[in-house]
């Protein structure tokens, strides 16, 4: 069939417009950065990628995916953030508070989705928990501290002094320490703090608590989680029970943790990223938290740290580490 030249041109333009309309969905770019590599944060990254695959965003279909870790160094986190801003991806995913702060400081235009951030408002990533009206949204791993204290009492019923090792440079940890200072006295307990500004300081900080505390509680502090084995060594040798907020730490030697499933958190984060790739504005999407919290227990670790877990607590666990 011979079309009039004008009709032919129109048909060609229409076809080209159709191709252009499809092209952005086929050639998206996602840049992911994490403050450090440890099991919880790695699970978030893997979950994000899995969610994008489920949503049809794969490298086979043109997805450009890049990942860099800051190796626990905030200066490197800032360098990665600046590199990513120069790359101009469609979305930057920032895992953990220090990386998220670095990225949010580096761009006010590129969509940013944070993940595994305990308090995004205190970290000044977003002005509140509702839609931010900015280029930032994300998924928090915030936990109910009341439930964390309940768990401490279930594991160590007679505990009076609760030790915490944390990095004072991590906003997420500072928030938790402040909450624990306020809440523990209401439960008849008090907080004993030991700071570890670097991963290598974690073991020494834990040793400084020996003889001063009945139990050590760890939040999702990235320095502490990265060096959890050094904490376990102290807990086992000094018979100090370890209770964590990160369920992966139970596999590494903590007695118990009531925390989020970080792979699920990654899936939830990836779903938000997919919404933005499909055209939603990050500023229109409210920050989210994980509704799924799971109890992990490790009876073997309890034995090493001088504690006998109740049958009721073991039966209520989503996962028993053996």
């Amino acid at each position: 069939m011979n079309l009039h030249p004008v009709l032919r041109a129109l048909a060609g333009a229409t076809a080209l417009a159709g191709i252009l309309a499809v092209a952005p969905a086929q050639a998206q770019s996602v840049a992911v950065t994490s403050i450090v590599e440890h099991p919880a944060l790695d699970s978030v990254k893997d979950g994000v990628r899995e969610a994008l695959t489920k949503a049809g965003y794969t490298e086979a279909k043109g997805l450009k995916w890049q990942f860099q870790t800051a190796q626990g160094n905030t200066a490197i986190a800032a360098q990665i953030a600046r590199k990513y801003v120069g790359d101009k991806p469609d979305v930057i995913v920032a895992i953990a508070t220090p990386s998220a702060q670095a990225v949010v400081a580096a761009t006010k235009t590129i969509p940013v989705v944070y993940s595994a951030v305990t308090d995004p408002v205190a970290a000044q990533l977003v002005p509140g928990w509702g839609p931010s009206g900015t280029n930032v949204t994300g998924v928090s791993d915030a936990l109910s501290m009341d439930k964390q204290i309940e768990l401490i009492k279930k594991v160590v019923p007679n505990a009076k002094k609760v030790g915490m090792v944390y990095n004072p440079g991590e906003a997420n940890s500072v928030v938790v320490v402040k909450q624990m200072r306020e809440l523990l006295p209401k439960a008849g307990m008090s907080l004993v703090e030991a700071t570890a500004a670097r991963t290598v300081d974690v073991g020494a900080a834990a040793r400084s608590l020996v003889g001063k505390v009945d139990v050590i509680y760890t939040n999702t502090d990235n320095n502490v989680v990265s060096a959890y084995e050094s904490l376990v060594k102290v807990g086992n040798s000094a018979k100090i029970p370890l209770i964590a907020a990160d369920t992966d730490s139970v596999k590494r030697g903590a007695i118990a943790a009531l925390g989020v499933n970080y792979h699920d958190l990654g899936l939830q984060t990836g779903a938000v990223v997919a919404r933005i790739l499909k055209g939603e504005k990050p500023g229109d999407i409210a920050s989210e938290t994980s509704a799924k919290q799971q109890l992990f227990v490790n009876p073997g670790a309890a034995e090493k740290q001088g504690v006998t877990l109740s049958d009721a607590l073991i039966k209520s666990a989503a996962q028993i580490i053996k």
Side-chain angles (χ1 to χ4, degrees):
M1 180 176 69
N2 289 321
L3 289 174
H4 187 278
V6 173
L7 290 176
R8 251 200 323 268
L10 281 171
T14 304
L16 180 61
I19 291 165
L20 290 174
V22 172
Q26 301 300 309
Q28 304 284 14
S29 56
V30 176
V32 184
T33 176
S34 177
I35 188 60
V36 72
E37 289 184 276
H38 62 61
L41 302 188
D42 295 347
S43 293
V44 174
K45 175 191 70 176
D46 295 343
V48 170
R49 186 141 202 190
E50 191 178 314
L52 289 176
T53 300
K54 283 179 183 171
Y57 296 100
T58 63
E59 284 175 321
K61 291 182 180 176
L63 175 73
K64 291 176 186 171
W65 168 279
Q66 58 175 321
F67 170 74
Q68 288 196 23
T69 172
Q71 299 161 350
N73 188 316
T74 52
I76 295 174
Q79 286 173 9
I80 294 168
R82 287 194 294 272
K83 180 199 179 293
Y84 281 178
V85 171
D87 292 344
K88 296 191 170 111
D90 293 300
V91 180
I92 300 174
V93 179
I95 303 171
T97 305
S99 284
Q101 288 175 315
V103 173
V104 169
T107 180
K108 297 290 179 278
T109 53
I110 296 169
V112 177
V113 179
Y114 68 78
S115 189
V117 171
T118 302
D119 191 333
V121 181
Q124 299 183 321
L125 303 180
V126 287
W129 285 92
S132 67
T134 68
N135 62 317
V136 184
T137 187
V139 184
S140 166
D141 60 354
L143 298 168
S144 160
M145 296 316 298
D146 287 318
K147 287 183 179 173
Q148 298 294 301
I149 291 168
E150 276 174 29
L151 178 61
I152 292 170
K153 294 200 88 151
K154 283 176 185 172
V155 176
V156 192
N158 299 319
K160 295 294 177 198
K161 294 192 177 293
V162 178
M164 258 191 91
V165 178
Y166 71 100
N167 174 11
E170 271 197 45
N172 51 312
S173 296
V174 173
V175 167
V176 171
V177 168
K178 185 170 178 284
Q179 289 177 317
M180 291 295 267
R181 277 190 207 129
E182 292 168 4
L183 293 171
L184 281 171
K186 295 173 187 173
M189 295 183 278
S190 60
L191 186 66
V192 182
E193 300 167 31
T195 58
R198 302 169 301 163
T199 304
V200 293
D201 301 328
V202 172
R207 285 192 294 277
S208 77
L209 294 172
V210 174
K212 298 177 188 172
V213 299
D214 306 307
V215 59
I216 293 176
Y217 170 77
T218 54
N219 70 314
T220 52
D221 185 290
N222 290 295
N223 272 359
V224 174
V225 175
S226 295
Y228 209 82
E229 283 73 16
S230 60
L231 206 67
V232 171
K233 194 175 175 184
V234 174
N236 290 351
S237 64
K239 293 285 187 282
I240 301 174
L242 301 178
I243 297 169
D246 164 38
T247 52
D248 283 306
S249 296
V250 180
K251 298 168 189 172
R252 296 162 73 190
I255 293 172
L258 180 65
V260 303
N261 179 309
Y262 280 91
H263 184 258
D264 286 347
L265 199 79
L267 290 173
Q268 195 174 342
T269 305
V272 174
V273 175
R275 286 169 66 184
I276 293 167
L277 293 177
K278 286 171 184 167
E280 281 191 63
K281 291 180 179 174
D284 293 340
I285 303 171
S287 290
E288 299 176 6
T289 56
S290 172
K292 296 179 185 174
Q293 290 184 15
Q294 297 177 316
L295 174 66
F296 281 35
V297 297
N298 185 333
E303 197 177 318
K304 287 176 187 171
Q305 293 159 27
V307 169
T308 303
L309 298 176
S310 70
D311 289 341
L313 186 67
I314 294 170
K315 282 176 185 169
S316 67
Q319 197 166 327
I320 300 164
I321 310 299
K322 296 187 177 173

